[in-house]
Amino acid sequence: MTTRRNFIKNTAFIAGSIPFMSLAETRTNSKIKGKPIVVSTWDFGKVANQEAWKILSSRGSALDAVEKGVMLVESDPTQMSVGLAGLPDRDGHPTLDACIMKGNGDCGSVVFLEHIMHPISVARGVMEKTPHVMLAGEGAQQFAINTLGMKKETIINPKSQEAYKEWLKKSEYAPIINIENHDTIGMIAMDANGLFAGACTTSGLAFKMHGRVGDSPIIGAGLFVDEDAGAVTSTGHGEEVIRIAGSHLVAELMRNGMSPEKACKTAVERVYKRKKDNIKNIQVGFIAISLEGEVGAYGVHKGFTYSVKTDSIDEIFQGKFLIE
Ligand code: ASP
């Protein structure tokens, strides 16, 4: 299995910039199409897709499918980058970010949430039960407990605890995002009725500053879904994705007729253009589904994987990339 850690090890940075014409390409994923269809970031997206597929294959809604799909990863006690078992911030707290969106523009988000097992369901609660789009920290937790009836919980993940102890030895304050220390599940789907939804959930950057929020819960950055454009989500260096309003950018490019793969590539190139002098420390990946149900994906570096499920496909793909 290609893990994020292996990706880092396999990523050979070639100093300086590489002209885009000569950039390496991996085996193609293009022209994968489906309806219903569900696509998720990384290898762990495969089991999450299978969970979502139980709903999609029985003509359930894309919204229910993406929520249930990512919940599987959120509650995985071995997971180090999503949910309460994820790597903590500098002060030892796992703080969680998530958002959910429908094709009609309805959306909800939670940021800096602690001790709640399913941030994605809190995000859905924000969307469905409040007049707001985003709740943060204490307020989000109170809403989860008081309105949604959730419990305060903690997961002890020995591996995350061990990694934190190791990190504490140096406690290096290095606000550069290191490609070893983050991961997110972003899931996008189109259901049998042609309706779109997406969900994105993460424990964010490991050992981040207490209170840091990345792209994953930011509508337009980590996720964007529009019934007139398609669905997009991202993973990687949240600050860079926010700076280009990444998922919204990809959706707008698709709205204007670009293929999902080309749109994801264009967004990745924009990250590259801004950060080319420090690109070895930057990984960003996008996945997208067009209105026709076609899948696209692109990453800055080799090693970005994503998972696709249709009635005939249940597979992990290597995303195309700009830099070997
Ligand atoms: N995008 C996430 C964040 O910046 C991390 C990741 O996807 O790896 O919090």
Side-chain angles (χ1 to χ4, degrees):
M1 189 158 119
T2 305
T3 62
R4 173 60 74 95
R5 229 157 254 279
N6 288 340
F7 150 67
I8 313 292
K9 290 191 186 122
N10 295 338
T11 298
F13 171 62
I14 300 159
S17 64
I18 302 169
F20 288 134
M21 292 305 289
S22 67
L23 296 173
E25 306 244 309
T26 58
R27 74 191 163 93
T28 182
N29 63 340
S30 48
K31 304 301 171 222
I32 290 175
K33 261 188 171 182
K35 184 180 166 188
I37 184 165
V38 55
V39 187
S40 300
T41 52
W42 302 113
D43 295 17
F44 56 23
K46 189 172 181 194
V47 283
N49 285 352
Q50 288 163 355
E51 190 68 13
W53 191 254
K54 291 178 192 163
I55 293 168
L56 292 174
S57 59
S58 49
R59 299 193 67 83
S61 74
L63 182 68
D64 289 342
V66 294
E67 181 191 11
K68 290 287 175 314
V70 301
M71 281 171 75
L72 195 81
V73 185
E74 285 182 336
S75 55
D76 180 347
T78 65
Q79 196 43 251
M80 289 171 76
S81 58
V82 177
L84 290 174
L87 290 163
D89 65 16
R90 286 167 202 279
D91 299 350
H93 304 269
T95 69
L96 309 181
D97 301 329
C99 71
I100 196 159
M101 189 170 194
K102 289 163 64 176
N104 67 359
D106 288 352
C107 54
S109 159
V110 284
V111 303
F112 192 44
L113 177 66
E114 291 185 72
H115 294 295
I116 297 293
M117 182 78 80
H118 291 299
I120 200 64
S121 303
V122 188
R124 183 168 176 172
V126 173
M127 173 174 80
E128 292 179 339
K129 296 183 196 305
T130 80
H132 308 303
V133 164
M134 186 182 288
L135 289 179
E138 275 289 314
Q141 194 189 69
Q142 279 165 19
F143 171 72
I145 294 168
N146 299 338
T147 306
L148 303 177
M150 295 179 180
K151 294 191 305 259
K152 258 180 123 168
E153 293 180 78
T154 301
I155 300 180
I156 307 293
N157 179 352
K159 279 195 174 164
S160 287
Q161 291 193 322
E162 201 43 51
Y164 179 56
K165 270 194 215 145
E166 261 316 293
W167 178 81
L168 275 178
K169 286 182 189 162
K170 289 194 184 155
S171 298
E172 265 173 45
Y173 183 90
I176 330 162
I177 302 172
N178 179 309
I179 37 188
E180 271 199 310
N181 52 17
H182 55 96
D183 246 353
T184 289
I185 182 151
M187 176 182 279
I188 46 180
M190 176 168 61
D191 63 28
N193 295 315
L195 295 176
F196 286 90
C200 189
T201 179
T202 191
S203 54
L205 176 63
F207 320 131
K208 61 196 172 188
M209 286 178 72
H210 190 57
R212 180 264 185 189
V213 173
D215 60 319
S216 305
I218 309 296
I219 297 296
L223 179 71
F224 198 72
V225 183
D226 186 323
E227 61 201 12
D228 295 325
V232 187
T233 189
S234 66
T235 182
H237 296 74
E239 284 73 4
E240 294 312 315
V241 177
I242 292 172
R243 287 182 175 115
I244 63 159
S247 291
H248 184 258
L249 170 63
V250 175
E252 289 306 297
L253 293 169
M254 291 198 296
R255 191 197 306 277
N256 291 324
M258 208 177 259
S259 74
E261 182 179 299
K262 183 81 202 308
C264 291
K265 184 181 183 195
T266 303
V268 162
E269 285 170 350
R270 204 167 286 187
V271 171
Y272 176 85
K273 188 175 168 217
R274 259 187 44 78
K275 297 300 283 194
K276 53 179 170 297
D277 295 338
N278 189 30
I279 202 70
K280 70 174 173 168
N281 286 319
I282 303 290
Q283 171 67 325
V284 166
F286 291 98
I287 55 173
I289 306 175
S290 71
L291 293 182
E292 293 72 38
E294 186 181 324
V295 177
Y298 228 90
V300 172
H301 291 280
K302 187 176 183 179
F304 168 50
T305 63
Y306 63 100
S307 305
V308 181
K309 176 91 187 87
T310 67
D311 55 5
S312 57
I313 297 166
D314 184 9
E315 227 180 300
I316 298 168
F317 292 91
Q318 176 74 235
K320 291 185 179 178
F321 52 89
L322 292 183
I323 297 169
E324 181 85 25

